[in-house]
Amino acid sequence: MTGHFPPRGKFITFEGIDGAGKSTHIRYCADLVAARGIELVSSREPGGTPLGEKLRELVLHEPMHLETEALLVFASRREHIAQVIEPALARGAWVLSDRFTDASFAYQGGGRGMDLVKIETLANWVHPELWPDLTILFDVPLEVARARLDATRTLDKFEQEKADFFLAARNEYLRRAAQYPERFRVIDSTQTIEAIRVQLAAIVAELR
Ligand code: TYD
């Protein structure tokens, strides 16, 4: 069988409730991948494209029906896949995305209580073939996440949600991690940054 050349890149996503510490660790993972001489694309959702960033503004700050919110994050995702993710993977680059569809399950599904079957339908419609090769879930208890959210900056619509919302979002993330153990790696994000880095280095080194 003839393989593709260049070999398809890897798609890695980072998830966790707000305050789990994901942003710090994405930068470290990007350095690990770059150190291997691999072309790297770092991106985020909602966002990742000019249109996606406009949708992000609406999703993060505008009150709306929960299904409108889900449709907008998937609209942003559709654009992100077409403009950024697929072209990068096709040319052999690795894509690191700060959130992807698991966040829709956790936030719109778990947090807001939207029917998970509808989210599954949107996922199957928008990316029937594409799932991350690896999803790193930064898991922390609510109190820890809350304490980490910088009290001095203005909180967006999601960050202002109550404990119940994040409890449900965290539970949905953990449920998905248990459902797809091959794809997920769950990191106990109450550990020190150094301890987490050791784990991340091992996880990234495994990827070929
Ligand atoms: P986040 O990734 O936490 O970025 P920042 O570090 O700048 O706050 O913010 C994105 C927010 O969007 C987050 O609160 C979760 C939310 N979100 C959804 O509700 N559904 C989705 O599908 C995605 C991708 C994000």
Side-chain angles (χ1 to χ4, degrees):
M1 206 177 87
T2 47
H4 282 280
F5 195 83
R8 192 173 158 85
K10 301 286 181 202
F11 180 30
I12 308 173
T13 61
F14 298 82
E15 301 283 358
I17 58 172
D18 294 87
K22 131 190 101 51
S23 319
T24 315
H25 296 302
I26 295 176
R27 283 192 295 274
Y28 178 69
C29 288
D31 292 344
L32 290 172
V33 173
R36 284 169 61 174
I38 296 166
E39 188 202 341
L40 174 83
V41 175
S42 280
S43 200
R44 68 169 181 183
E45 290 203 355
T49 64
L51 175 58
E53 291 297 325
K54 289 187 183 171
L55 295 173
R56 179 186 177 93
E57 274 307 300
L58 296 173
V59 170
L60 262 57
H61 303 291
E62 206 66 47
M64 61 183 72
H65 189 278
L66 73 100
E67 290 186 352
T68 308
E69 191 176 273
L71 290 164
L72 289 182
V73 293
F74 273 99
S76 162
R77 186 161 298 137
R78 187 68 197 90
E79 202 63 18
H80 193 207
I81 292 168
Q83 305 284 342
V84 177
I85 301 175
E86 275 301 345
L89 295 176
R91 67 173 186 268
W94 287 24
V95 178
L96 270 52
S97 185
D98 185 342
R99 301 190 186 281
F100 190 63
T101 295
D102 297 302
S104 304
F105 279 91
Y107 282 77
Q108 281 67 49
R112 300 239 190 271
M114 181 171 159
D115 182 357
L116 297 180
V117 174
K118 289 186 180 172
I119 300 175
E120 197 79 57
T121 303
L122 288 171
N124 288 331
W125 184 35
V126 167
H127 53 91
E129 310 283 323
L130 176 77
W131 279 95
D133 296 289
L134 173 72
T135 298
I136 300 179
L137 172 60
F138 295 96
D139 182 56
V140 276
L142 243 47
E143 314 75 64
V144 179
R146 237 27 252 188
R148 282 185 189 161
L149 280 183
D150 186 355
T152 58
R153 75 175 173 144
T154 341
L155 300 181
D156 67 38
K157 210 174 82 186
F158 294 98
E159 291 163 341
Q160 290 171 29
E161 284 292 341
K162 302 278 179 294
D164 288 1
F165 179 94
F166 289 107
L167 198 61
R170 182 189 183 202
N171 286 341
E172 178 58 18
Y173 270 136
L174 291 173
R175 194 189 65 79
R176 288 184 66 74
Q179 188 178 2
Y180 304 105
E182 299 285 293
R183 170 164 73 88
F184 273 89
R185 296 290 177 279
V186 182
I187 297 217
D188 170 2
S189 217
T190 59
Q191 300 175 96
T192 62
I193 291 184
E194 260 322 304
I196 292 175
R197 285 186 169 183
V198 171
Q199 273 186 285
L200 289 173
I203 292 168
V204 172
E206 262 176 47
L207 274 186
R208 296 278 138 214

